[in-house]
Amino acid sequence: MYGEGVEEHYKISDPQVLRVVTHPLRARLLGLLRSDGPATASELGRTVGESSGSTSYHLRELFKHGFIEEDPEQRDGRERRWRARHRYTSWNSREMAVTPEGRETVKVMRLLQAELLGRVTEEFDEAGWSPEWVSAAGMSDHIVELPPAALEEFAARTGEILRELAARHEGAPDGQLVHIWVGGFPRKRREEP
């Protein structure tokens, strides 16, 4: 899926650059290039139900801002093949929060992530998977009392565990692409009367 030269992540500190992927179609195209590998505008258009002209435009925007590149290994004489330049995109919410534009951009990105979670949850049909996958798949939610440092530690340790598990099980015959979300947000306590 990922060829040589694909970087681990794209750390963005400019809200204008992050805003490029707040467009739902661009976010979806980038996600498809990351999960399914290189593709042309026409192939992506068929997948997402858009014209190749529309996908072509949005792919050029992603290219212009450093999210994707032409795939050097799979050139097509008639049409460009694109690939993701990075496995994932990251940003520092605290840095982004210093401007209203940054706060709004991060909020839109979080909503896009939640929308994808909803779509993946809706598309998951237990009838199409083995009992092992049905048992392993799912979500849980927890409400715990933590300070900010503990929530940051949780996110960091979760990332470490995922990288270790992915490396240990790379090439497993029963391996599948798995969507995993990790999130935590503080909530205000209800005012006591």
Side-chain angles (χ1 to χ4, degrees):
M1 178 176 9
Y2 291 104
E4 278 192 43
V6 175
E7 300 167 33
E8 186 64 20
H9 78 279
Y10 188 14
K11 175 106 166 69
I12 297 174
S13 56
D14 181 352
Q16 294 282 356
V17 174
L18 187 57
R19 184 170 289 285
V20 170
V21 287
T22 62
H23 187 284
L25 181 55
R26 286 184 205 144
R28 190 155 181 219
L29 294 173
L30 180 58
L32 286 168
L33 291 173
R34 286 178 173 166
S35 65
D36 297 347
T40 65
S42 295
E43 291 166 342
L44 290 166
R46 285 190 295 276
T47 301
V48 299
E50 293 281 335
S51 71
S52 61
S54 173
T55 55
S56 224
Y57 168 77
H58 290 293
L59 288 166
R60 285 192 305 274
E61 288 299 302
L62 290 168
F63 171 74
K64 185 166 65 174
H65 291 89
F67 290 95
I68 65 172
E69 64 189 4
E70 284 190 58
D71 181 16
E73 299 169 12
Q74 299 182 28
R75 299 270 308 161
D76 180 327
R78 297 171 294 125
E79 192 173 11
R80 291 179 183 173
R81 291 187 69 75
W82 298 98
R83 73 175 187 174
R85 287 191 56 208
H86 317 90
R87 295 181 196 277
Y88 67 93
T89 302
S90 68
W91 61 89
N92 182 310
S93 293
R94 183 175 34 198
E95 289 174 6
M96 291 287 189
V98 298
T99 66
E101 177 189 32
R103 287 189 298 277
E104 180 62 24
T105 300
V106 168
K107 184 178 207 159
V108 171
M109 288 302 296
R110 287 180 181 147
L111 291 171
L112 283 171
Q113 290 170 321
E115 181 182 302
L116 178 59
L117 170 60
R119 190 166 56 243
V120 168
T121 302
E122 187 177 321
E123 290 171 357
F124 181 72
D125 179 3
E126 287 83 354
W129 293 95
S130 70
E132 294 82 10
W133 275 114
V134 171
S135 177
M139 296 183 344
S140 62
D141 63 300
H142 307 271
I143 297 178
V144 296
E145 189 169 319
L146 298 173
L151 185 55
E152 285 185 0
E153 180 183 346
F154 172 75
R157 287 176 58 190
T158 301
E160 290 169 12
I161 291 167
L162 282 174
R163 285 187 294 279
E164 184 267 319
L165 289 169
R168 186 172 4 134
H169 296 283
E170 185 175 6
D174 59 346
Q176 294 286 336
L177 290 177
V178 177
H179 285 276
I180 297 176
W181 286 265
V182 177
F185 298 94
R187 58 170 249 186
K188 301 245 185 238
R189 292 183 188 270
R190 185 177 52 176
E191 294 290 326
E192 295 296 324

